[in-house]
Amino acid sequence: MSKTWFITGTSKGFGREWATAALERGDRVAATVRDLDHLRPLAERYGEAVLPLRLDITDRAAVFAAVAQAAGHFGALDVVVNNAGYGHFGMVEELTEAEIRAEMETNFFGTLWVTQAVLPVLRAQGHGRIIQVTSEGGVRAFPGIGGYHASKWAVEGLSESLRKEVAHFGIDVICLEPGPYSTGFGGDSVRTSAEHPDYAEVRTATAITWTLGDPKATRAPILQLADTDDPPARAFFGTSFEPVAAEYEERLATWRKWQPLALSAFR
């Protein structure tokens, strides 16, 4: 049985690959972008199966209107993918107020607005699946990307509560945590703070060379997450498990070491 998707950020990267994957197998997709010209190839190829929507996800009223239009047009929404977002590079001290507010407005609040807008539709249906694209950076952190991490960790915490609130209504919530991919995150989609000279040595010492995955390789896995009868609360895409597991083992070891202190603070 075909599914109806609502996917944000479909001009390129993951969003474009996932919209294409869904359409290729006969599903229907409400695809949002800031510039509708980016969706012309999909509309020409898949016709009425795709509903192109111009949307700035930081505009809450516009988000609710777009979701209502999509639900009205297709009659249902089965899979909602909160994918739109961008990366921002800058040491914590380098972040300006405008930069961190913009990052949170898109990556966190944009995700929240879409989530709030689709929930009444999914509740009324008695089913639905929300896939929150957080990233490996939603469960671990690197120097120089603190603002980005803050936005993604916020989505993880929001989604953890949401999952427990909406399971009763037949709604699943998955935090999808991709590692580094060649999606433009470190290229033309990234924003950067002005560099403070005092951090030059730190920047050099902590520079990371990413091994990038191919976004096209995620097409089949995203369909599997949409279809499975046993959806995970969270899942990686890529090779993130081993380094993340090591970090969490280190956290557990630290908590255990300091457990006597924790208990001494109780009474």
Side-chain angles (χ1 to χ4, degrees):
M1 204 171 188
S2 66
K3 288 182 168 62
T4 300
W5 299 59
F6 186 97
I7 308 176
T8 65
T10 57
S11 62
K12 57 185 177 180
F14 287 136
R16 187 53 162 261
E17 297 297 338
W18 299 342
T20 301
L23 290 164
E24 281 185 347
R25 74 168 188 176
D27 289 355
R28 303 179 298 178
V29 177
T32 83
V33 289
R34 287 176 175 264
D35 183 350
L36 288 178
D37 285 343
H38 291 299
L39 289 178
R40 186 171 292 121
L42 285 185
E44 291 174 350
R45 182 172 181 180
Y46 296 103
E48 294 183 355
V50 59
L51 174 64
L53 295 169
R54 180 185 289 111
L55 180 62
D56 175 355
I57 62 170
T58 67
D59 184 337
R60 188 173 188 270
V63 168
F64 274 73
V67 168
Q69 182 179 349
H73 181 82
F74 287 127
L77 296 176
D78 301 306
V79 185
V80 177
V81 184
N82 271 309
N83 167 70
Y86 68 91
H88 188 106
F89 283 76
M91 302 295 179
V92 170
E93 188 178 351
E94 293 169 343
L95 296 170
T96 67
E97 180 179 354
E99 288 170 345
I100 188 60
R101 287 188 182 277
E103 182 83 321
M104 296 300 292
E105 284 289 345
T106 298
N107 293 5
F108 174 70
F109 284 106
T111 295
L112 173 57
W113 304 152
V114 172
T115 300
Q116 288 183 329
V118 301
L119 283 174
V121 177
L122 305 187
R123 280 193 293 104
Q125 296 173 170
H127 76 274
R129 185 158 297 174
I130 301 174
I131 301 177
Q132 313 280 48
V133 184
T134 64
S135 114
E136 175 186 347
V139 293
R140 69 185 299 211
F142 300 93
I145 329 176
Y148 173 77
H149 289 309
S151 69
K152 293 300 187 178
W153 283 52
V155 173
E156 287 270 347
L158 182 84
S159 301
E160 191 73 14
S161 291
L162 175 67
R163 185 179 303 112
K164 298 169 183 177
E165 295 167 358
V166 301
H168 172 76
F169 303 112
I171 302 171
D172 306 311
V173 180
I174 301 171
C175 282
L176 175 55
E177 299 148 348
Y181 280 79
S182 54
T183 59
F185 172 84
D188 58 356
S189 295
V190 77
R191 303 181 190 181
T192 306
S193 297
E195 296 184 0
H196 192 296
D198 285 358
Y199 285 93
E201 186 175 343
V202 177
R203 209 179 312 276
T204 299
T206 59
I208 301 168
T209 300
W210 305 101
T211 300
L212 303 179
D214 180 1
K216 285 185 172 59
T218 67
R219 289 187 181 185
I222 196 68
L223 297 179
Q224 185 176 348
L225 282 183
D227 295 344
T228 180
D229 292 331
D230 184 26
R234 55 194 65 80
F236 291 124
F237 273 6
T239 59
S240 302
F241 175 74
E242 294 298 339
V244 172
E247 286 201 13
Y248 274 70
E249 288 167 2
E250 182 181 350
R251 292 184 192 186
L252 286 169
T254 300
W255 282 324
R256 288 191 181 101
K257 176 181 177 180
W258 290 93
Q259 180 66 348
L261 178 74
L263 295 177
S264 71
F266 183 63
R267 65 174 83 194

